[in-house]
Amino acid sequence: MKLVDRLDRMVHPINGLHELDSLIGSFLGPRTKESCVFAPRTDIVEHATGFTLNIEMAGVETSDVAVQVVDDRLVVSGEKKSIQVDETSTIHRRERVVGKFERSFEFPTQVDFEKIEAASSNGVLTIDVPKAEKVVPRKIEIAVK
């Protein structure tokens, strides 16, 4: 991959973290630390009644993830741990990103933080965040008199 292409990909802050680490490693040599900071990729979809966040969590145990509300923000944090090998084994290459992460999300409309639901399936954490009832559109029936 050309250096210019790699630099272009670094413009996006989430995609660029791993790419930047790789680029620095190609100039300075391999990293000595096992872990680095990363941000799991996230899709956010808004629908009439709320928001759905789909966060990539492949290789992360649900027990190592926390979903909480802090100061009107949804905060998802956790840790992706590296594989452990015994002393008779040799690791020849480590390319998977590991380490602690924290993502913070604010919403453009008021949401009901009391009704947030989270579930994990096939390496994806899905968080449903309903909009506050007063911002959800509701149809008013017109009575005929």
Side-chain angles (χ1 to χ4, degrees):
M1 181 182 294
K2 295 179 187 174
L3 179 59
V4 173
D5 293 336
R6 292 178 82 179
L7 290 172
D8 284 345
R9 290 184 64 199
M10 284 187 267
V11 172
H12 189 279
I14 296 170
N15 292 341
L17 290 177
H18 182 67
E19 201 57 31
L20 179 61
D21 184 56
S22 175
L23 182 63
I24 290 170
S26 68
F27 287 110
L28 302 178
R31 293 175 57 95
T32 56
K33 291 184 178 180
E34 264 189 32
S35 63
C36 64
V37 176
F38 75 101
R41 294 175 188 243
T42 303
D43 293 334
I44 302 174
V45 177
E46 180 177 5
H47 40 89
T49 60
F51 300 88
T52 299
L53 288 76
N54 292 303
I55 305 172
E56 286 186 358
M57 291 284 169
V60 180
E61 297 291 330
T62 55
S63 59
D64 292 330
V65 177
V67 179
Q68 52 192 332
V69 175
V70 179
D71 299 327
D72 293 330
R73 291 178 294 118
L74 178 68
V75 178
V76 179
S77 59
E79 182 175 7
K80 183 175 182 180
K81 297 176 181 172
S82 63
I83 58 168
Q84 300 299 315
V85 296
D86 61 33
E87 60 276 350
T88 63
S89 300
T90 302
I91 298 174
H92 288 279
R93 180 174 293 214
R94 240 185 236 268
E95 294 183 353
R96 296 177 52 217
V97 179
V98 297
K100 294 183 179 185
F101 61 87
E102 182 173 289
R103 299 289 313 265
S104 177
F105 304 96
E106 293 181 0
F107 300 94
T109 62
Q110 290 182 336
V111 295
D112 189 345
F113 286 114
E114 298 298 319
K115 295 182 180 175
I116 292 175
E117 294 182 1
S120 180
S121 177
N122 297 322
V124 177
L125 175 64
T126 300
I127 304 173
D128 290 314
V129 182
K131 290 180 181 176
E133 203 167 296
K134 63 183 178 181
V135 298
V136 174
R138 105 183 145 98
K139 185 177 180 180
I140 309 293
E141 296 295 326
I142 301 172
V144 177
K145 294 184 179 185

